[in-house]
């Protein structure tokens, strides 16, 4: 997650060294700060943050959900007060596309409405219909910008930057199976480059989350990327991979690191706990990340307790390495036909300590 044009506590060089393939930038947050004029001055987000890999940008749809008290939704778009200084602003499907073009996104997302949990069926149905209409407007903007279907931020872009950008549609429908099906079918009919399942991980039980994926997946093309937005814990990622998903985004590796929590193959460790004070072991045995290669749990615990920034950086590097390596293992197991066995074994052995996900 590179919400503010930065994956918290790590540099683009470190992300490259961890073999990260793609990062996420947030349209709403970058639109509010530093603003499009600044981004354009630096010739797009890639150059601004010095990241040479692909960038996927969210459309701002999640902020329509998370900033519910600061916004008003209409057919045209969303009026809101930004969370930084309260200044009125407006994002429509057309403006969301314009912003993402200015950012230089490699993968842009349509503007959608993410329904809250719980919500009434009628509200969810109206939300699905609005999301579909907004998706068509986004597609029309892109199609009008460049006949081939690609879109660019300016005529001055380099040849490399003018490569075709992808546009993904988003399936909504809350926790209602028939709405998920209807939304998936309507979005697929619009023919996007890839498809996302949105409106999950918004407070619903995990069982409902998986049902939303299961209700959407059968109607998504097998030859296009499938992206589950906002997930998740390591077991959740393996479970949705088993249900046909390809891409994910999640703040947990970096956010939990800033709380002193590290991920391992058998569960999470809260390194602030006294039990690790004299522990000479790495966070995880046989881990090749910089933290595990050079430092002990005891030292990292000391850094965290002393509020030294290095401690949080080391856990962040480990957590990112852990997630990326888990996905590498999943790809390998799929290739050799042993993924289901791998998933079941991992999930069975994985334990979450009480309090690790509190207040997140």
């Amino acid at each position: 997650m590179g919400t503010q044009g930065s994956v918290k506590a790590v540099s683009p060089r470190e992300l490259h060294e961890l073999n990260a393939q793609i990062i996420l930038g947030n349209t709403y947050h970058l639109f509010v700060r530093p603003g499009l004029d600044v981004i354009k001055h630096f010739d797009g987000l890639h150059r601004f943050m010095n990241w040479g890999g692909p960038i996927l940008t969210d459309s701002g749809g999640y902020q329509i959900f998370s900033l519910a008290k600061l916004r008003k939704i209409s057919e045209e778009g969303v009026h809101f007060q930004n969370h930084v200084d309260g200044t009125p602003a407006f994002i429509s499907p057309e403006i969301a596309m314009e912003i993402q073009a200015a950012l230089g996104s490699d993968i842009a997302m349509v503007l959608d409405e993410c329904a809250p949990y719980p919500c009434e069926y009628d509200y969810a149905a109206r939300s699905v219909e609005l999301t579909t209409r907004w998706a068509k407007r986004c597609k029309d903007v892109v199609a009008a910008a460049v006949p081939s279907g690609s879109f660019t931020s300016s005529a001055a872009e380099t040849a490399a930057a003018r490569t075709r950008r992808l546009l993904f549609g988003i399936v909504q429908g809350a926790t209602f199976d028939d709405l998920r099906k209807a939304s998936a079918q309507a979005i697929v009919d619009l023919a996007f480059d890839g498809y996302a399942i949105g409106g999950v991980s918004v407070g619903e039980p995990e069982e409902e989350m998986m049902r939303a994926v299961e209700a959407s997946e059968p109607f998504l093309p097998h030859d296009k990327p499938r992206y589950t937005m906002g997930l998740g814990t390591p077991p959740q990622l393996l479970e949705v991979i088993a249900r046909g998903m390809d891409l994910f985004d999640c703040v947990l590796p970096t956010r939990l690191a800033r709380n002193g929590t590290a991920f391992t193959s058998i569960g999470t460790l809260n390194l602030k706990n006294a039990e690790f004070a004299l522990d000479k072991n790495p966070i995880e045995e046989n881990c090749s990340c910089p933290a595990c290669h050079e430092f002990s749990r005891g030292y990292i615990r000391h850094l965290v307790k002393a509020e030294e920034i290095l401690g949080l950086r080391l856990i962040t590097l480990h957590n990112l390495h852990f997630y990326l390596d888990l996905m590498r293992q999943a790809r390998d197991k799929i290739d050799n036909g042993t993924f289901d066995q791998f998933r079941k074994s991992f999930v069975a052995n994985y334990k979450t300590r009480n309090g690790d996900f509190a207040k997140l």
Side-chain angles (χ1 to χ4, degrees):
M1 290 285 289
T3 300
Q4 305 274 10
S6 168
V7 176
K8 293 186 185 300
V10 298
S11 70
R13 175 183 57 79
E14 290 169 320
L15 291 172
H16 176 73
E17 291 169 352
L18 290 169
N19 296 315
Q21 297 181 32
I22 185 170
I23 63 172
L24 182 147
N26 185 274
T27 297
Y28 165 81
H29 286 288
L30 294 168
F31 173 63
V32 171
R33 183 173 54 193
L36 290 191
D37 288 344
V38 172
I39 299 291
K40 290 177 179 178
H41 176 77
F42 285 91
D43 297 320
L45 186 57
H46 290 82
R47 291 183 179 177
F48 187 48
M49 65 180 296
N50 195 31
W51 169 251
I55 296 176
L56 181 152
T57 49
D58 190 2
S59 64
Y62 184 78
Q63 279 63 48
I64 297 174
F65 159 77
S66 64
L67 301 176
K69 295 181 180 179
L70 301 176
R71 52 81 168 152
K72 181 178 180 181
I73 301 173
S74 69
E75 184 68 34
E76 289 306 306
V78 186
H79 292 270
F80 60 91
Q81 292 178 294
N82 80 59
H83 70 291
V84 175
D85 59 12
T87 303
F90 175 70
I91 293 181
S92 65
E94 293 78 12
I95 292 172
M97 293 297 95
E98 177 187 342
I99 296 170
Q100 291 179 85
L103 294 174
S105 312
D106 298 285
I107 300 175
M109 304 301 299
V110 300
L111 185 66
D112 64 321
E113 183 192 1
C114 178
Y117 176 85
C119 71
E120 298 293 332
Y121 182 91
D122 288 349
Y123 180 96
R126 291 193 300 271
S127 178
V128 164
E129 293 170 356
L130 179 64
T131 289
T132 302
R133 292 193 297 272
W134 282 358
K136 184 179 186 306
R137 286 165 59 185
C138 291
K139 182 76 182 289
D140 289 346
V141 169
V142 173
V146 178
S148 67
S150 63
F151 62 107
T152 58
S153 60
S154 75
E157 284 188 313
T158 65
R162 284 196 294 269
T163 56
R164 186 168 184 265
R165 295 197 179 112
L166 305 181
L167 180 64
F168 281 22
I170 302 176
V171 175
Q172 290 290 345
T175 57
F176 305 101
D177 291 1
D178 60 328
L179 294 182
R180 285 283 173 182
K181 175 182 177 180
S183 179
Q185 291 175 326
I187 294 298
V188 169
D189 284 347
L190 293 173
F192 290 100
D193 299 301
Y195 299 92
I197 297 177
V200 291
S201 195
V202 293
E204 77 279 13
E206 186 171 295
E207 179 182 348
E208 295 283 1
M209 179 193 304
M210 295 302 167
R211 275 188 55 205
V213 174
E214 292 166 357
S216 307
E217 184 275 336
F219 308 99
L220 303 180
H222 287 265
D223 60 347
K224 298 288 182 70
R226 293 133 163 242
Y227 166 28
T228 309
M229 306 179 77
L231 292 186
T233 65
Q236 287 172 352
L237 295 188
L238 296 182
E239 292 292 358
V240 293
I241 288 172
R243 290 161 172 79
M245 298 297 109
D246 304 304
L247 287 81
F248 323 92
D249 72 90
C250 188
V251 300
L252 289 182
T254 55
R255 183 176 291 176
L256 261 67
R258 299 194 303 279
N259 291 329
T261 297
F263 287 94
T264 76
S265 59
I266 59 171
T268 51
L269 303 177
N270 187 339
L271 293 175
K272 292 187 291 188
N273 289 347
E275 64 182 291
F276 300 113
L278 302 178
D279 196 332
K280 293 182 179 180
N281 295 305
I283 295 173
E284 182 158 40
E285 294 289 347
N286 301 316
C287 176
S288 60
C289 82
C292 290
H293 186 67
E294 300 179 39
F295 302 104
S296 68
R297 293 174 176 178
Y299 177 64
I300 295 173
R301 178 187 184 270
H302 157 69
L303 294 176
V304 173
K305 296 295 286 186
E307 299 184 352
E308 287 288 343
I309 294 172
L310 177 60
L312 306 184
R313 273 184 33 80
L314 290 174
I315 302 174
T316 299
L317 288 168
H318 168 79
N319 286 353
L320 290 171
H321 175 275
F322 175 84
Y323 264 66
L324 291 166
D325 191 62
L326 181 64
M327 294 299 98
R328 180 194 59 77
Q329 291 182 67
R331 289 191 295 271
D332 289 346
K333 302 301 182 183
I334 291 170
D335 286 342
N336 64 31
T338 60
F339 174 77
D340 196 50
Q341 179 183 349
F342 169 70
R343 172 184 63 88
K344 290 177 180 177
S345 174
F346 183 94
V347 172
N349 292 319
Y350 190 89
K351 300 292 184 292
T352 299
R353 274 60 174 179
N354 290 338
D356 285 347
F357 298 95
K359 299 180 181 179
L360 290 181

